Amino acid sequence: MSTNGALVHVDGLKVYFPVSTGWLLSRQTAWVQAVDDVSFEIRAGETLGLVGESGSGKTTVGRALLQIYRPTAGSVIFDGTDLTKLGDEALRRRRRDFQMIFQDPYASLDPRARVSDIVAEPLEVHGLARGRAEKRERVGELLTQVGLNQAFADRYPHEFSGGQRQRIGIARALAASPRFLVCDEPISALDVSIQAQIINLLEELRDRLGLTYLFIAHDLAVVRHISTRIAVMYLGKVVELAPKAALYERPLHPYTKALLSAIPVPNPRLERRRERIILTGDVPSPINPPTGCRFHPRCPFAQPRCSVDEPRLAPGDDPEHRVACHFWQEIENGTIEARASG
């Protein structure tokens, strides 16, 4: 399949996890369909935001792209190479081109290692520094790049705040000079006052180093700020994919509409007049997802067809704006009205 010039091209990605029961968990009884037939592309130099509720499969997608989780099916083509077909050694050599910034800066750093050893680990794994002096110089450069003092190299993670620890994690991710970073909710564990600093740092690094990001988050305001395009996930599926302006100004999928309607507006008058879409029920289990459209049990616009026929992610009015909904046009023009909640 042609990648159309994209740095990362994902096609038909599936990640299923086995569910086992019985004595010593010896009998497999079901599959958790964490990611089910997801396709998208990420262009060089852009930030693709990936949003959705907890359990929608966002983090699993990010880890599958980097082959931390080996996909059950589908392909992940990075710069023309299908990573799913690489053996362990070939994949290890290729990993210097793509790295991950983890969600929890407290759990992702070894508490027994000095900062210099944490940041230098990718240099050692990929043989990118000769001798202690060159390694220490490179660590100092990386710490400066993320806004930390080079003297911090001899300290331990417990001596830093959450924001400083995340900067250390970013420095480690940049050590091998990657081209692509998966940012897995990198600010969700930080104080609100620190979040903007980390977002600004990531934007600065992207522009200065020519990086490409997959930015995973559940905060739609943050995603709007940093992303070029946004993909919305629900229960293992991408239900909408669009440039950020189009998504926020004219969401097409009912789930996206509901997510955006939940964002508070600072103007009290606008907030009172705003139409809210309240979703009923809970997210179904990924072990036994609904037939047809996975959103139909909670969708206020659901029709009989929705429970039978699964919609495909297809272009709406704009080829760049794709949506997986049978009736998005009818919802837009008011032919189908929302059911009353409750």
Side-chain angles (χ1 to χ4, degrees):
M1 176 176 288
S2 171
T3 59
N4 297 320
L7 180 64
V8 181
H9 186 92
V10 181
D11 185 52
L13 183 68
K14 296 184 179 182
V15 184
Y16 292 1
F17 298 107
V19 177
S20 300
T21 58
W23 178 249
L24 296 179
L25 301 178
S26 58
R27 185 162 55 92
Q28 182 185 319
T29 57
W31 292 93
V32 176
Q33 300 177 31
V35 177
D36 191 27
D37 197 15
V38 164
S39 301
F40 59 84
E41 68 286 330
I42 307 175
R43 298 156 190 163
E46 81 165 344
T47 298
L48 178 67
L50 189 60
V51 301
E53 294 172 276
S54 296
S56 62
K58 306 185 302 294
T59 293
T60 304
V61 167
R63 295 188 175 215
L65 260 60
L66 304 188
Q67 303 300 297
I68 297 173
Y69 295 153
R70 285 290 201 169
T72 306
S75 61
V76 179
I77 300 174
F78 176 82
D79 195 23
T81 301
D82 189 349
L83 302 181
T84 65
K85 291 181 166 46
L86 296 182
D88 292 342
E89 181 58 28
L91 183 60
R92 187 192 68 81
R93 292 194 300 269
R94 199 65 200 264
R95 276 214 169 101
R96 64 167 294 184
D97 289 329
F98 42 86
Q99 294 290 317
M100 190 166 195
I101 300 171
F102 295 93
Q103 176 178 357
D104 188 351
Y106 296 90
S108 61
L109 304 179
D110 185 348
R112 297 167 296 180
R114 296 181 188 272
V115 169
S116 58
D117 296 324
I118 292 171
V119 176
E121 185 177 5
L123 302 176
E124 296 173 352
V125 169
H126 297 287
L128 299 176
R130 301 173 184 174
R132 291 184 61 184
E134 184 177 342
K135 182 171 69 175
R136 190 165 184 85
E137 180 181 357
R138 177 61 176 149
V139 168
E141 291 174 356
L142 289 163
L143 292 178
T144 300
Q145 204 167 55
V146 299
L148 294 176
N149 194 310
Q150 294 188 18
F152 291 172
D154 294 322
R155 297 185 184 181
Y156 290 90
H158 73 267
E159 300 179 67
F160 298 94
S161 66
Q164 289 173 322
R165 292 190 199 195
Q166 195 60 289
R167 289 175 186 266
I168 294 168
I170 294 170
R172 177 179 59 186
L174 295 175
S177 301
R179 300 164 61 194
F180 175 57
L181 289 179
V182 172
C183 308
D184 183 16
E185 303 205 37
I187 63 169
S188 63
L190 304 179
D191 293 341
V192 175
S193 59
I194 305 299
Q195 291 180 357
Q197 297 177 20
I198 298 300
I199 289 295
N200 290 337
L201 172 63
L202 290 172
E203 287 187 307
E204 177 191 337
L205 292 170
R206 179 193 60 196
D207 297 340
R208 179 151 46 92
L209 303 178
L211 298 171
T212 303
Y213 292 155
L214 175 68
F215 190 91
I216 300 168
H218 60 267
D219 188 330
L220 288 162
V222 170
V223 172
R224 183 175 192 172
H225 181 77
I226 195 173
S227 299
T228 312
R229 294 183 301 136
I230 298 172
V232 180
M233 284 194 73
Y234 181 81
L235 201 62
K237 299 274 190 181
V238 172
V239 297
E240 190 162 0
L241 175 61
K244 68 175 179 181
L247 188 91
Y248 282 87
E249 292 169 10
R250 190 184 172 221
L252 300 181
H253 197 280
Y255 178 62
T256 310
K257 292 175 183 285
L259 288 180
L260 293 178
S261 76
I263 300 176
V265 174
N267 186 321
R269 290 184 179 179
L270 292 178
E271 180 69 17
R272 283 193 297 268
R273 292 200 305 265
R274 214 155 54 103
E275 181 184 357
R276 289 292 185 94
I277 299 176
I278 308 299
L279 298 180
T280 58
D282 298 321
V283 180
S285 169
I287 297 177
N288 186 27
T291 58
C293 175
R294 295 191 173 184
F295 184 58
H296 86 262
R298 305 176 69 199
C299 180
F301 302 97
Q303 303 297 306
R305 179 185 175 188
C306 301
S307 62
V308 178
D309 187 7
E310 180 182 339
R312 309 296 297 176
L313 191 67
D317 293 338
D318 182 348
E320 285 283 293
H321 195 156
R322 289 181 266 169
V323 59
C325 178
H326 296 303
F327 299 102
W328 69 266
Q329 289 174 306
E330 289 82 354
I331 296 169
E332 280 285 288
N333 61 34
T335 306
I336 297 176
E337 295 184 355
R339 299 189 305 267
S341 60

